[in-house]
Amino acid sequence: MIHLLDDRYLLPFAEAIKGRKDNAFRRAEELTSGKETLAEWASAHDYFGLHRSKKGWVFREWAPKATSMWLVGDFNGWKIDPAFEARRIPGSDIWEAKIPAAKIHHGDKYHLEVRWEGGRGERIPAFARRVVQDNETKLFSAEVYEPKRAYVWKNPAPKKPKYPRIYEAHVGMGSEEEKVASYAEFRDNVLPRIKKAGYNVVQLMAIMEHPYYGSFGYHVSSFFAASSRFGTPDELKSLIDTAHGMGLYVIMDLVHSHAVANERDGLSRFDGTDYQYFHSGEKGHHSAWGSRCFDYGKTNVIHFLLSNCKFWLQEYKFDGFRFDGVTSMLFWNHGLGEAFSNYAMYFNGSMDDDAWVYLQMANRVIHEVNPKAITIAEDVSGMPGCAAKVEDNGIGFDYRMAMGEPDYWFKLAEKTKDDDWSMGGLFYELTNKRREEKVVSYVESHDQALVGGKTFFFTLADSAIYYGMGKGQNALEIDRAIALHKMARLATLSLNGGAYLNFMGNEFGHPEWIDFPREENGWNYSHARRQWSLRDNPDLRFKGLADFDEVMQRNLAKGVEGDAIKLIANEPDKVLAYIRGDKLYVYNFHHSNSYTDYGIIVPPASSWEHLFDTDEKRFEGMGRIAPKQKFFSSLVEDRGELVQQIKLYLPARTALVLKRI
């Protein structure tokens, strides 16, 4: 096992590293008083919010600076009613209302009327489990969700995947129609595509309720409510249940890095202060995102967020989380403009130690509740220990997003001539990670195609994508784009650092960019959908990209064992070759030179068989390599030594995968 402090460059900071771990465990001991586990303590959602009891309904809310509070809704004509008044529990900051069972019904909509010194406001309860928007007023309200029959789960979670191959998806974008798609439509129409494509994990974005659809789900208002714009809680449960039945893990984007600044819909100024859940003043406002920044040092905030982790695991049976914005959480300046070029930057006071402690405790809670859960950190800082085990002085994430990889691919596609692509540089960028951590490797996620960007394939093909994707058309730009799209994905998946990710539709080269309906584009949905017909149309070349991705996923599902061993990184020839596990990967990135009898030095007494290649006609290649060939090594002299070598035909812009026999 590799420990964090096996890195000799971290030894000068050993005391600080161990101190952070000790601080996290000391804080957990304070919170639980040593009487229960951290996961048992993280149950605020069972106490706060609106719950049915044996005697009726009980509502509780934490609001230290409130002076009075009422539930106002369908059940009382949207007027302040003494029967629905919440009162402060003596000696506490908690407000409580007890309401007879007959007065509140399934489907009732409501909000809170909160008053404080010098002000008043409507608020959505912090622990609301369902929030809906009125079509006419556009205002959000909490909604009582107590159907007569509770959802009955049918399928247990599948076995935890050893090598997660993650399909990042947005439910609302899942339809080809220009609309907001539903949980049910995603379940019925998209899950089968994901399963067939060979992925084993679905990562769902924008599940936590957010008032602005165009935020992509990252400006959360109600942390315990599944977004109602996609359907009901039971329909989300059915989606996850169905995925489990297909053998798919389901994880969600968890946004604990910040919260929407909206006051009526969110947590900002909930009790009239700007510091209840967040830091006060400038520190409590994210300058780049226009959102609020949590104060991770407050017990009630930690209780809220840790309970939120537990809630999604238990209520909806999610199999883990991808934590958004970890860099922003960890650093006081949110990592903006930082190069993170030396280790001292992680230990010079620029970090929010309370955030580090929270993240470590969150990972402990998640893995206590579900030992098979997957946790992923979206961290660009390279923070040592981010994806190291808690017992090894780490934060405890299972994986860290390899955010430098898409940056590298897009730099090649946008700014680097084909002749200048470095084979050694490519291998380095795709294998460069800390020894003690696993990473999620990817060519592109949703980030790369947001407004102002393009998908990787669109970046390569540019305007030719509109006129050159028909079968039988001769467009050199498209030939190049198709070849490099496949090669980039093969290299990234085969060199992955433990897991691989693809955003919905990008496996078949989805064109253009992502743009949600907004006033500036006339509330247009044309870029907030997935054009599955492009993938399905046998007359278009998009299908070949998708078919390649499917073959690649299935053939490499178990073929990423151990470290990659670089055999060749020939810059003039643009040839890269490496072995990983029982497979040999050989790439010719040269734009025009094909090579006959190209010698590849291989391990002694090894023979190889052609598994698949990117140039196959079924993948919209030219079909220049005969399938199912076998290659037997022979002795040759190389630099005065006898070595084993196989000779291959390497067409230009082609990659081969050989399996050892």
Side-chain angles (χ1 to χ4, degrees):
M1 180 181 292
I2 299 170
H3 293 261
L4 185 60
L5 290 177
D6 288 345
D7 183 344
R8 61 188 178 91
Y9 293 105
L10 284 174
L11 291 178
F13 309 104
E15 187 174 344
I17 291 170
K18 292 177 180 177
R20 281 177 180 157
K21 175 187 174 183
D22 292 343
N23 190 27
F25 276 85
R26 183 166 52 250
R27 184 74 170 113
E29 182 75 12
E30 292 173 0
L31 297 173
T32 63
S33 301
K35 298 177 181 178
E36 55 189 343
T37 68
L38 197 56
E40 290 170 336
W41 179 79
S43 300
H45 54 290
D46 292 330
Y47 180 77
F48 292 102
L50 183 65
H51 298 277
R52 184 186 287 275
S53 69
K54 293 180 180 179
K55 297 181 179 180
W57 294 91
V58 178
F59 174 82
R60 299 186 188 92
E61 191 73 72
W62 173 60
K65 295 300 180 181
T67 57
S68 55
M69 183 183 298
W70 295 265
L71 281 75
V72 177
D74 289 333
F75 36 69
N76 56 17
W78 295 93
K79 297 177 182 179
I80 290 177
D81 182 342
F84 293 86
E85 183 177 6
R87 300 182 183 277
R88 187 187 291 270
I89 297 175
S92 77
D93 294 329
I94 299 169
W95 296 78
E96 182 181 74
K98 295 183 179 179
I99 303 163
K103 288 186 175 290
I104 295 180
H105 305 90
H106 171 69
D108 283 347
K109 298 175 179 59
Y110 68 101
H111 62 246
L112 299 179
E113 174 73 20
V114 182
R115 296 181 181 176
W116 53 83
E117 288 293 334
R120 58 185 289 179
E122 295 178 357
R123 296 290 186 264
I124 303 297
F127 288 84
R129 298 194 181 188
R130 181 161 169 79
V131 175
V132 297
Q133 186 177 26
D134 186 270
N135 290 330
E136 294 182 5
T137 67
K138 303 303 180 184
L139 294 177
F140 286 84
S141 299
E143 183 178 71
V144 180
Y145 193 76
E146 288 280 335
K148 291 182 179 179
R149 295 182 180 179
Y151 184 83
V152 178
W153 293 86
K154 303 174 183 65
N155 301 300
K159 183 179 179 181
K160 181 179 180 179
K162 187 175 182 180
Y163 300 108
R165 299 186 307 285
I166 303 166
Y167 198 86
E168 183 187 32
H170 184 283
V171 169
M173 289 176 57
S175 171
E176 184 151 357
E177 297 179 63
E178 296 186 18
K179 66 175 188 177
V180 178
S182 69
Y183 295 125
E185 288 172 315
F186 189 93
R187 175 198 64 206
D188 296 341
N189 302 328
V190 182
L191 284 181
R193 290 182 177 275
I194 298 171
K195 176 64 177 178
K196 181 179 182 299
Y199 292 83
N200 54 23
V201 178
V202 183
Q203 178 182 309
L204 293 180
M205 306 175 63
I207 295 299
M208 305 166 86
E209 191 60 85
H210 47 292
Y212 180 45
Y213 188 46
S215 75
F216 227 145
Y218 290 119
H219 281 204
V220 173
S221 52
S222 296
F223 286 75
F224 290 85
S227 182
S228 61
R229 56 172 53 87
F230 308 134
T232 68
D234 281 2
E235 286 168 339
L236 174 57
K237 291 175 182 178
S238 177
L239 186 165
I240 296 169
D241 198 4
T242 301
H244 285 168
M246 293 179 171
L248 297 170
Y249 246 43
V250 186
I251 64 176
M252 70 175 278
D253 250 343
L254 191 75
V255 186
H256 285 181
S257 48
H258 62 138
V260 72
N262 299 29
E263 294 177 7
R264 186 191 179 282
D265 308 321
L267 299 175
S268 186
R269 290 177 50 83
F270 188 89
D271 67 353
T273 66
D274 75 335
Y275 55 80
Q276 181 186 353
Y277 283 92
F278 311 105
H279 289 289
S280 61
E282 186 177 344
K283 189 183 290 186
H285 294 266
H286 199 296
S287 59
W289 297 345
S291 52
R292 299 303 313 273
C293 301
F294 285 107
D295 183 347
Y296 302 104
K298 285 187 175 180
T299 296
N300 289 84
V301 174
I302 292 177
H303 202 199
F304 179 84
L305 295 175
L306 291 181
S307 300
N308 193 235
C309 296
K310 182 178 178 180
F311 168 80
W312 290 105
L313 293 172
Q314 291 188 330
E315 181 69 19
Y316 288 93
K317 300 191 184 299
F318 276 99
D319 302 299
F321 305 103
R322 179 259 201 192
F323 275 67
D324 169 68
V326 167
T327 306
S328 180
M329 297 172 72
L330 288 173
F331 293 88
W332 291 116
N333 68 354
H334 309 299
L336 299 174
E338 292 287 356
F340 299 106
S341 55
N342 63 81
Y343 279 174
M345 298 182 68
Y346 307 114
F347 306 99
N348 63 1
S350 63
M351 279 187 57
D352 181 353
D353 287 334
D354 289 331
W356 194 101
V357 166
Y358 165 68
L359 288 169
Q360 197 244 47
M361 290 194 295
N363 274 283
R364 287 175 58 191
V365 166
I366 292 164
H367 290 108
E368 283 178 28
V369 173
N370 181 3
K372 299 193 302 178
I374 293 172
T375 60
I376 302 168
E378 189 213 23
D379 172 49
V380 73
S381 75
M383 170 70 198
C386 183
K389 295 181 182 298
V390 169
E391 54 267 33
D392 295 338
N393 301 303
I395 294 178
F397 284 103
D398 297 307
Y399 301 88
R400 179 180 61 81
M401 298 289 288
M403 299 181 73
E405 292 183 10
D407 289 347
Y408 182 75
W409 280 119
F410 276 80
K411 180 181 177 181
L412 290 179
E414 293 174 337
K415 301 177 181 179
T416 310
K417 294 190 302 182
D418 292 10
D419 290 344
D420 295 331
W421 285 31
S422 168
M423 299 298 96
L426 193 155
F427 184 85
Y428 173 79
E429 290 292 340
L430 297 183
T431 57
N432 180 29
K433 71 178 188 68
R434 300 190 59 81
R435 293 286 297 170
E436 78 280 354
E437 73 176 8
K438 294 185 288 187
V439 301
V440 178
S441 300
Y442 59 112
V443 177
E444 56 188 326
S445 68
H446 72 277
D447 280 330
Q448 281 65 47
L450 288 172
V451 176
K454 301 176 181 178
T455 64
F456 185 67
F457 186 69
F458 193 25
T459 300
L460 293 168
D462 203 41
S463 61
I465 202 170
Y466 297 117
Y467 60 79
M469 290 300 291
K471 288 247 187 167
Q473 290 180 284
N474 294 316
L476 294 178
E477 306 98 314
I478 294 299
D479 288 342
R480 171 182 178 269
I482 287 176
L484 293 178
H485 184 274
K486 291 178 289 187
M487 295 174 77
R489 275 162 168 70
L490 177 61
T492 305
L493 175 57
S494 62
L495 291 173
N496 80 77
Y500 174 82
L501 178 140
N502 167 69
F503 180 69
M504 178 173 65
N506 288 353
E507 72 277 7
F508 65 83
H510 203 282
E512 301 179 327
W513 52 86
I514 297 167
D515 188 10
F516 285 88
R518 52 197 171 92
E519 187 175 358
E520 293 84 350
N521 64 18
W523 304 104
N524 192 302
Y525 284 85
S526 62
H527 288 281
R529 61 191 179 115
R530 295 288 92 173
Q531 298 181 61
W532 301 110
S533 60
L534 299 178
R535 188 260 181 266
D536 297 338
N537 191 335
D539 296 324
L540 295 177
R541 302 181 75 182
F542 293 101
K543 184 178 184 300
L545 292 177
D547 290 346
F548 170 78
D549 196 77
E550 182 177 327
V551 168
M552 177 181 70
Q553 295 296 336
R554 297 194 181 281
N555 274 287
L556 303 189
K558 299 178 181 178
V560 289
E561 294 277 2
D563 294 331
I565 302 169
K566 183 171 64 176
L567 304 177
I568 295 174
N570 188 307
E571 302 299 347
D573 292 348
K574 298 301 171 197
V575 172
L576 173 66
Y578 52 87
I579 287 177
R580 190 170 190 188
D582 65 347
K583 294 181 179 65
L584 169 62
Y585 304 86
V586 186
Y587 303 78
N588 177 9
F589 277 96
H590 202 284
H591 60 87
S592 59
N593 289 354
S594 297
Y595 306 107
T596 303
D597 291 337
Y598 200 95
I600 307 290
I601 296 173
V602 295
S606 62
S607 300
W608 304 85
E609 182 178 12
H610 174 277
L611 193 58
F612 65 96
D613 67 78
T614 62
D615 195 50
E616 294 181 46
K617 286 188 176 181
R618 57 177 173 158
F619 306 142
E620 291 303 318
M622 300 180 189
R624 292 169 289 182
I625 300 174
K628 303 302 180 184
Q629 297 180 74
K630 291 183 172 61
F631 303 91
F632 302 98
S633 59
S634 58
L635 281 173
V636 298
E637 186 175 338
D638 181 69
R639 300 174 189 175
E641 295 184 10
L642 289 176
V643 296
Q644 296 277 351
Q645 183 189 75
I646 60 173
K647 292 188 176 183
L648 302 174
Y649 171 47
L650 304 181
R653 288 199 182 119
T654 295
L656 297 81
V657 181
L658 309 181
K659 184 175 182 179
R660 190 166 182 166
I661 54 176

